Amino acid sequence: MDRWPTSRLLSTAARLVELAWNDELRPLGLTYPAVLTLEAVATAGPIAPGKLAQSVRVQAQTMGPLLSRLESRGYIHRQPNLFDRRSQLVSITDLGLALLEQSHHLENDVLSAIMSDSGNLREELLAIVRHSNFS
C-alpha cells in the first residue's frame, strides 16, 4: 500500500468507508445510495426523477427502482408535475428527513472511529470536488 498512487488510496478508502457506513445504515432500512438520494431531494426540494438521477450521478433507470423502495417505506412522496404532465416531482417526507438526520450521525460515528480529524479531510475533499471537472 505504501507504493499505491494517491488516487488508488482515495478510491479504496472511499469504498471502505461506504461499506462501514452501509453496515450502520442497514438497521434503519437505508443504504448509501438511498442516503445520497434523500440528501439530494432534501436539498433540491421537489425535483424531477431525471434531474435527481443527474444530481446523484446515476442512470435514470437506476433511480426508478430506488425511488420505488424509498416511496414504499414512506421516505419520499411522488406527485404529478403541474408543469409537465408526463413527469412527476419527488419530495422528501418528515420520516425521510428524520432518517436522513440519523444517517448523518451514523456517518460521523463511522468517521470518528477511524480518524481523529475528519473535518480537515472533509475540507480537502471539498476542494478536490469543487476544482475538478467532475462536479
Side-chain angles (χ1 to χ4, degrees), residues 2-105:
D2 291 339
R3 296 180 52 108
W4 285 4
T6 303
S7 60
R8 183 171 180 196
L9 286 170
L10 185 58
S11 175
T12 301
R15 279 191 307 248
L16 291 171
V17 169
E18 184 179 332
L19 288 171
W21 197 19
N22 267 331
D23 287 344
E24 296 295 320
L25 291 170
R26 195 170 293 114
L28 296 179
L30 294 173
T31 61
Y32 178 69
V35 170
L36 293 179
T37 301
L38 290 174
E39 185 70 49
V41 173
T43 301
I47 185 170
K51 289 189 186 254
L52 180 58
Q54 284 179 322
S55 173
V56 179
R57 300 181 190 268
V58 298
Q59 297 294 319
Q61 302 89 328
T62 302
M63 185 56 64
L66 177 56
L67 291 177
S68 293
R69 283 192 303 277
L70 292 173
E71 185 176 38
S72 72
R73 294 180 177 150
Y75 304 155
I76 62 155
H77 173 71
R78 289 190 265 194
Q79 60 204 35
N81 183 343
L82 298 177
F83 301 105
D84 181 358
R85 293 183 196 203
R86 298 168 295 159
S87 72
Q88 298 178 327
L89 294 175
V90 179
S91 301
I92 192 165
T93 64
D94 289 340
L95 177 59
L97 284 171
L99 285 173
L100 186 58
E101 183 64 29
Q102 287 180 351
S103 77
H104 291 164
H105 294 297

